[in-house]
C-alpha cells in the first residue's frame, strides 16, 4: 500500500502578504494621512447626522460662549454652535479641494500633453501662455477670476482650478517631451498608430505618475486657497459654513474670544498635512528606484 506524501514545511508555498497591510506597515505616515483624509471626507458626507445642532441656528443668548457640555467648542458671534459648523465646514472644504483640482486636471493635462507631443510652434505658444499665467501671484489671479465669475464657493474654486491648471500643464508637457522620444513610441508610429492613439495609449500612461503626485499636493493648496477666498468674503457666503469663513469671523473677535480661531485653523492645518503626507507616499510608491530598493 502506497503512502501519500505530505509536503514538507520547506517545500510549502509561501503565503502572500496582504499588499494593503504591507504598505501600512511600511509607510505608517501615509496610512495615517489616508485615514485622516477618509475621516474628514466621511464627516463632511454625514455632517447632518453627526452635527448636534444646525450650523445656521442662531441663539443670541449664547453669543461667544466658551466650550461647555452643551456646546463642545463654544459658540460664535451669532450664538451658533462652533462644533456643528466645523463638521459642516468639512464638506465645503473637501468639495472645494476636489472641484478645483479636477478643473485643473481637465484644463491643464490635455493642453500640456498636446504641447509636449506636438512640439514646434504649438509648444512655443502654450509655453509662453503658461509662463504668463505663472508670473501672476496665485491668490491675486484667483481673486481676479472670482470677481469676473461672481462671488461664491463654486465660482471661487473654478478660479482656483484655472490658476492651478498651468502647474499641471507644465508638468504634463515636460513628461510628454521625454516620453515621446522613447523607442516604443517610435514603434507605435511605424505600425501606423494615430497621434490620438499614441497620446492615449503610450504618452499618458507613462506621464501620469508625477502628475498624480502633483494632484495630491495641489489638494492641500486648494484647501488653503478656499480658506483664503472665504476669509476675504469671496468663497462660501453666509450663513453657510466653511473653515475659511469661520476663521474670518473669529478674526474679528480674536481679542475677546481667541479660542474661536483655534479649531478651524487646526482643521485646515491637519487636512493640509494629511494631503501632503499622502502626496509623499504616492511619490514613493510610484518611484521605480524606491520600489526596486524594497
Amino acid at each position: 500500500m502506497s503512502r501519500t506524501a505530505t509536503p514538507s514545511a520547506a517545500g510549502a508555498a509561501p503565503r502572500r502578504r496582504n499588499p494593503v497591510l504591507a504598505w501600512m506597515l511600511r509607510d505608517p505616515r501615509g496610512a495615517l494621512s489616508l485615514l485622516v483624509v477618509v475621516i474628514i471626507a466621511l464627516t463632511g458626507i454625514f455632517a447632518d447626522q453627526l452635527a448636534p445642532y444646525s450650523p445656521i441656528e442662531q441663539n443670541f443668548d449664547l453669543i461667544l460662549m466658551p466650550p461647555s457640555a452643551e456646546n463642545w467648542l463654544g459658540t460664535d458671534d451669532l450664538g451658533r454652535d462652533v462644533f456643528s459648523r466645523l463638521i459642516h465646514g468639512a464638506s465645503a472644504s473637501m468639495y472645494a479641494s476636489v472641484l478645483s483640482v479636477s478643473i485643473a486636471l481637465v484644463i491643464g493635462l490635455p493642453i500640456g500633453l498636446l504641447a509636449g507631443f506636438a512640439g514646434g510652434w504649438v509648444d512655443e505658444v502654450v509655453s509662453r501662455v503658461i509662463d504668463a499665467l505663472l508670473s501672476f501671484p496665485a491668490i491675486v489671479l484667483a481673486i481676479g477670476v472670482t470677481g469676473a465669475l461672481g462671488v461664491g464657493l463654486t465660482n471661487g474654486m473654478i478660479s482656483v482650478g484655472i490658476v492651478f491648471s498651468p502647474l499641471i500643464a507644465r508638468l504634463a508637457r515636460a513628461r510628454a517631451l521625454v516620453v515621446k522620444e522613447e523607442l516604443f513610441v517610435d514603434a507605435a508610429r511605424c505600425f501606423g498608430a494615430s497621434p490620438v492613439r499614441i497620446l492615449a495609449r503610450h504618452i499618458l500612461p507613462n506621464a501620469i505618475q508625477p502628475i498624480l503626485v502633483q494632484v495630491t499636493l495641489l489638494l492641500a493648496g486648494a484647501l488653503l486657497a478656499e480658506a483664503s477666498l472665504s476669509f476675504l468674503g469671496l468663497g462660501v457666503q453666509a450663513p453657510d459654513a466653511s473653515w475659511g469663513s469661520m476663521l474670518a469671523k473669529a478674526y474679528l473677535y480674536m481679542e475677546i474670544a481667541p479660542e474661536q480661531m483655534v479649531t478651524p485653523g487646526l482643521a485646515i492645518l491637519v487636512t493640509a498635512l494629511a494631503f501632503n503626507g499622502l502626496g509623499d507616499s504616492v511619490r514613493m510608491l510610484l518611484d521605480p528606484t524606491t520600489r526596486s530598493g524594497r
Side-chain angles (χ1 to χ4, degrees):
M1 174 182 270
S2 62
R3 183 176 299 175
T4 304
T6 58
S8 61
R15 296 179 60 186
R16 295 186 61 184
R17 294 182 62 184
N18 188 319
V20 177
L21 180 61
W23 170 72
M24 294 176 64
L25 294 175
R26 185 173 61 247
D27 188 5
R29 178 192 175 190
L32 179 61
S33 299
L34 180 61
L35 178 63
V36 170
V37 171
V38 171
I39 290 176
I40 293 174
L42 291 177
T43 300
I45 293 173
F46 299 103
D48 291 333
Q49 290 75 29
L50 295 175
Y53 303 100
S54 169
I56 61 175
E57 181 182 353
Q58 303 177 9
N59 188 341
F60 295 111
D61 294 329
L62 300 174
I63 292 178
L64 295 177
M65 296 296 293
S68 62
E70 291 79 17
N71 305 103
W72 295 350
L73 298 178
T75 58
D76 64 4
D77 59 315
L78 297 176
R80 297 172 296 193
D81 183 57
V82 173
F83 180 64
S84 300
R85 292 182 63 79
L86 189 74
I87 290 177
H88 281 270
S91 59
S93 299
M94 294 297 288
Y95 164 76
S97 298
V98 173
L99 175 62
S100 59
V101 174
S102 299
I103 291 174
L105 271 176
V106 170
I107 297 175
L109 183 58
I111 292 177
L113 291 177
L114 179 62
F117 181 72
W121 67 269
V122 176
D123 183 28
E124 188 69 21
V125 170
V126 172
S127 298
R128 297 293 75 78
V129 172
I130 291 174
D131 292 341
L133 291 175
L134 291 176
S135 65
F136 287 95
I139 189 63
V140 174
L141 185 58
I143 291 173
V145 177
T146 303
L149 295 178
V151 175
L153 178 61
T154 299
N155 289 340
M157 299 326 293
I158 290 175
S159 69
V160 173
I162 295 173
V163 172
F164 283 170
S165 60
L167 300 174
I168 298 291
R170 183 175 62 176
L171 183 57
R173 170 189 172 273
R175 290 299 302 162
L177 287 172
V178 174
V179 175
K180 76 174 184 178
E181 302 297 333
E182 298 291 342
L183 292 177
F184 58 83
V185 176
D186 293 335
R189 288 196 187 98
C190 293
F191 279 105
S194 65
V196 175
R197 182 176 178 84
I198 293 175
L199 275 171
R201 295 294 299 274
H202 301 286
I203 303 294
L204 178 59
N206 290 279
I208 198 65
Q209 293 181 358
I211 295 173
L212 291 177
V213 177
Q214 184 69 20
V215 163
T216 59
L217 299 178
L218 287 180
L219 286 170
L223 180 70
L224 298 176
E226 183 277 327
S228 301
L229 290 177
S230 295
F231 185 86
L232 296 173
L234 300 175
V236 173
Q237 299 299 300
D240 296 330
S242 79
W243 296 337
S245 63
M246 292 176 66
L247 271 179
K249 279 290 186 180
Y251 174 76
L252 301 175
Y253 305 96
M254 182 173 59
E255 294 184 357
I256 59 177
E259 70 277 1
Q260 295 284 321
M261 300 188 65
V262 174
T263 49
L266 283 178
I268 294 172
L269 174 64
V270 170
T271 309
L273 288 177
F275 280 139
N276 285 328
L278 195 59
D280 288 340
S281 299
V282 172
R283 177 187 57 80
M284 289 188 293
L285 281 174
L286 298 179
D287 188 354
T289 59
T290 307
R291 291 200 303 265
S292 61
R294 289 197 295 266

